[in-house]
Structures are given as structure tokens and as C-alpha cells.
Amino acid sequence: MPTSTLIRNSFAAAFRVVLVAVVALALSLVAVPPAQAAGGGPSITKKYFGTLSGGKKIDIYTLRNSNGMRVKILTYGGILQSIEVPDSRGRLADVALGFDKLSDYVKQSPYFGCITGRYANRIAKGRFTLDGKTYQLATNDGPNHLHGGNKGFDKRVWQAEPFRRHNSVGLALTYTSPNGEEHYPGTLRAKVVYTLTDDNQIRMDYRATTSRPTVVNLTNHTYFNLRGEGNGRILGHEMRINASHYTPVDKTLIPTGKIARLGGTPLDFREPTAIGDRINSKNQQIVRGGGYDQNYVLDSRGHDLDLAAKVVEPESGRVLEVITDQPGLQFYSGNFLDGTLRGTSGHLYPKRSGFALESQHFPDSPNHKNFPSTVLRPGDVYRTTTIYAFSTM
Ligand code: GLA
């Protein structure tokens, strides 16, 4: 072959390589979702997280908003596995306690980040009467029923449907709980929609319908540490709760039925106060909970979406506001954590290294006529919304 032909051929080959590269690059740009191509807009991706012993595969979805805030959600328990938010200098940290392995969630999770149901919180002796019929639920917390029983919503696999809008991204989770599951009456169709907005809010919209009269009380059980999970205790966080009443409890943490005033007690958080300031007080209610573990009767009484609590962490400058339309808020200061669980980033979680603010109906409502009703009947729709809003000082 003459040299000139050889050169022409190698030029043509090089040209083809460049052409293929240019086309591939153009195609890859087209394949990027439009919201991402437009400069880091909200996005959602899915990855495999683990397999349950029965063979079911569990996914983890990563939601990212335009500011870089990131939330990870598991199809197991609808768990908020990680919530990365900036501090006042823009540095991200994961502020939700959790695990990096599915087996830890299955074996030993104290309800980290999960959807809690069918009845979040306690029902005395696991028993209630509805329309003249008495139901006996599991007693999985001393003499009482807690957080939906032996296998509540926190241990179920949810169907996930991701979505993306202009200023937000989200995951719709659904689970159908068959009639009689955990001995609750009625087939309950539950839906929880998590939305991460561009103003750093996690919005949770709950919906449920039933085939028979039943009781329902759903919440999210995230443990927060605004310093970052695994980064010490939560005692320096300043807490404000918009409640002037609460529901005092007996020795087994079941409400006595009284709606008592908070004024003058170390449980009163109407003025911002560090969680640690009064946590070792000899107040009988604090002693019974081993710290804070109380249901606050919100002053908004559950009418509209309203600010229920505001938490400020002075060192990082991170701020969490809980906004809800629920009548109650359980403030739990992580008293049962005991330093044996190793969390997401490999650190042990000591006592009081996370707190939960569980928007909900009052504990044991099915046994207290003076509490707002938690009964759901066929044809009615259970609907409630809670927002975790993050900002900095
Ligand atoms: C709720 C309860 C606490 C405890 C935790 C989970 O917050 O009120 O007493 O059971 O859940 O450990």
C-alpha cells in the first residue's frame, strides 16, 4: 500500500474514533435527567441495600435537592437512613442515627428513622374495645403494646415510587396491611409520601384507608443529633416545644388520662432550654421515662400545620423545626440507647446521643374517651402531614 493511502487510512480511523467519542459524549449529556443537567437540580437515584432472610431485596433511594442536602430512604420500614444537612458554615453532616447494614436494622434497631404503625406509641396491655368488640394485640413492651407490635410498619417492605418536580424530589411508599395483621382489625392501605424540597424540608404526607373499623396512629421515628450522628450526646441542643399541657404517665409509661399543665415543671419547654439542663431532675415523670419520654399536647391542638417544636444546636448552628397537624408530640431523649449500637459511620451511640420528636395522636388513645379519636372507619381517609424543616442560625 502506498504511504499516502496508509496515511489517509489512519487519518480516517482517527477521525472515526473522534466522531464516536463526540457522539458518545452528546448521548451521555442527553441521558442526564433535565433537572440535573440544569445545574444540580433535585435528583433521585436507587441502589441495592441488602436482602432479607426470606429473599426480598431492599433498595436505598438517595434524594438530593438543589442545595446539596441529601436524604436516604430504605424500602424496609420506610426508614430515613441518613439526612445530610449543612451547618452554619455549609459543611454537611448526617444528623439521623442509623446503620449502614440491613441486618442491623432487622436485628437491633430501636426504631431508627422508621415509619411507625399501625399504632405508634403504647396501648395499655395491648387491649382496646371498638364497637363493642375487644381486640388483643401483642404486648411487646413490658405489659403494653408498642409501635405496632412484634412486626410493625417499621419491619415491612414498602413499594416505592420515585418522583421529581421542579423544586422538589420525593418517594411515595405504599404498604397494604392485611386484615388481622398484628391482630388489628381491617385491611389498612397505607401511603407515606416523603418529599425533599429545595428549601431543605422533608415533608411527610400520610394517608390510610381501612376495610373495617380500626385504630391508626402513624409517625416517623427519626433520632436526631444535629451535631452529626455518632458525634456525642444531645444534651446541649436547645429545645422549644409549643405545648402548655402534656399527658402524664404511670410506671409503665401509659397515660393516666389526665391532661396536665406543664407550667412550673422541668418538662416545660415553652422557653428554649437545653435538653440537658433538667434531664436529671427528680420529677416523677422524668424519673419514670429515664429522661424525657413524654407526649406533649400541642397548643395548636392538631388543627392546621403549625410549628410544634424548634431545636437549635449552638455549636454547629443547625436548626430543626417540626411542623405538624397532629395534636401530640412525643419527645424522647434517647434514654434507652446504651452505647452498644454502632451507627452508620462506625461510632457507638451512647445514652442520649439522639432524640426523637414523634408527631402523633396521644398514646393509648383507644382507651381514653377524652383524647382525640384515633378510630378510622371504612369510607373515611386518614390524612396527616409533618415537616422536618432544616436551617441554620
Ligand atoms: C418511643 C417511646 C419510647 C421508646 C422509643 C423506642 O419514643 O416513647 O419509650 O420506646 O419509642 O425505643
Side-chain angles (χ1 to χ4, degrees):
M1 201 185 288
T3 329
S4 61
T5 316
L6 236 178
I7 292 174
R8 252 205 323 272
N9 280 355
S10 50
F11 259 127
F15 180 71
R16 270 200 302 275
V17 169
V18 171
L19 192 72
V20 168
V22 168
V23 169
L25 183 69
L27 279 177
S28 74
L29 284 181
V30 172
V32 172
Q36 276 182 346
S43 67
I44 181 161
T45 53
K46 173 174 116 170
K47 263 172 64 180
Y48 166 77
F49 188 67
T51 305
L52 294 173
S53 55
K56 272 197 186 149
K57 295 214 172 352
I58 301 301
D59 293 322
I60 182 163
Y61 283 84
T62 302
L63 288 65
R64 191 182 175 283
N65 74 5
S66 303
N67 312 317
M69 174 174 164
R70 234 175 1 201
V71 174
K72 295 185 184 171
I73 306 172
L74 302 181
T75 51
Y76 178 78
I79 290 168
L80 292 176
Q81 188 261 354
S82 145
I83 303 175
E84 284 174 276
V85 289
D87 66 7
S88 50
R89 289 159 65 188
R91 290 172 306 193
L92 289 181
D94 176 6
V95 297
L97 274 58
F99 297 117
D100 62 352
K101 278 197 301 295
L102 181 62
S103 54
D104 285 338
Y105 281 105
V106 174
K107 267 188 256 149
Q108 53 179 356
S109 180
Y111 303 94
F112 284 158
C114 63
I115 299 169
T116 319
R118 291 188 186 189
Y119 198 98
N121 217 311
R122 295 178 175 79
I123 295 179
K125 303 194 168 62
R127 203 174 304 142
F128 68 95
T129 302
L130 179 58
D131 297 341
K133 195 165 177 231
T134 298
Y135 296 91
Q136 179 65 57
L137 310 170
T139 50
N140 57 326
D141 185 63
N144 303 317
H145 180 80
L146 177 70
H147 295 331
N150 294 323
K151 195 168 175 190
F153 282 7
D154 57 300
K155 297 176 187 72
R156 301 287 170 185
V157 182
W158 294 66
Q159 290 293 325
E161 195 69 52
F163 62 87
R164 202 172 57 213
R165 303 204 180 100
H166 180 52
N167 289 320
S168 65
V169 67
L171 195 66
L173 295 171
T174 49
Y175 174 67
T176 299
S177 173
N179 177 38
E181 185 176 81
E182 283 294 328
H183 304 287
Y184 286 96
T187 299
L188 194 79
R189 292 180 191 283
K191 180 170 184 177
V192 180
V193 180
Y194 285 113
T195 309
L196 171 63
T197 69
D198 275 351
D199 43 9
N200 289 6
Q201 298 192 347
I202 301 173
R203 183 185 168 108
M204 296 164 283
D205 292 294
Y206 301 79
R207 187 183 190 279
T209 55
T210 184
S211 65
R212 293 186 195 182
T214 192
V215 295
V216 60
N217 187 31
L218 304 180
T219 192
N220 173 273
H221 205 299
T222 296
Y223 288 63
F224 294 99
N225 185 332
L226 298 180
R227 296 160 54 88
E229 60 78 33
N231 190 13
R233 296 176 204 263
I234 44 86
L235 301 176
H237 288 55
E238 284 162 17
M239 175 71 71
R240 192 183 117 201
I241 304 177
N242 288 335
S244 37
H245 293 83
Y246 74 116
T247 51
V249 289
D250 68 13
K251 274 190 225 132
T252 70
L253 304 185
I254 289 292
T256 60
K258 238 177 111 187
I259 308 257
R261 283 180 196 284
L262 284 162
T265 75
L267 302 160
D268 189 355
F269 279 96
R270 283 173 294 176
E271 291 297 323
T273 312
I275 295 176
D277 274 8
R278 303 167 297 179
I279 202 165
N280 294 318
S281 132
K282 294 282 166 285
N283 171 283
Q284 181 212 52
Q285 291 291 307
I286 294 187
V287 171
R288 285 188 174 165
Y292 294 102
D293 198 351
Q294 265 79 32
N295 170 60
Y296 286 77
V297 176
L298 295 170
D299 287 342
S300 60
R301 295 280 163 147
H303 295 308
D304 289 310
L305 268 181
D306 226 321
L307 181 67
K310 179 172 178 175
V311 194
V312 174
E313 202 290 298
E315 275 177 46
S316 63
R318 292 192 184 91
V319 177
L320 163 68
E321 287 170 306
V322 178
I323 299 158
T324 187
D325 56 14
Q326 286 288 285
L329 187 74
Q330 183 85 11
F331 168 34
Y332 168 61
S333 54
N335 316 308
F336 297 129
L337 294 173
D338 59 4
T340 56
L341 298 179
R342 196 173 289 283
T344 324
S345 61
H347 296 101
L348 291 171
Y349 290 150
K351 184 172 167 132
R352 299 174 182 159
S353 58
F355 65 88
L357 289 169
E358 305 151 57
S359 57
Q360 56 175 14
H361 270 255
F362 307 168
D364 200 30
S365 294
N367 294 310
H368 297 279
K369 289 214 167 60
N370 58 327
F371 289 179
S373 170
T374 50
V375 174
L376 181 69
R377 296 187 180 279
D380 290 346
V381 181
Y382 168 91
R383 250 187 246 278
T384 168
T385 298
T386 293
I387 297 170
Y388 295 145
F390 295 92
S391 56
T392 52
M393 298 197 303

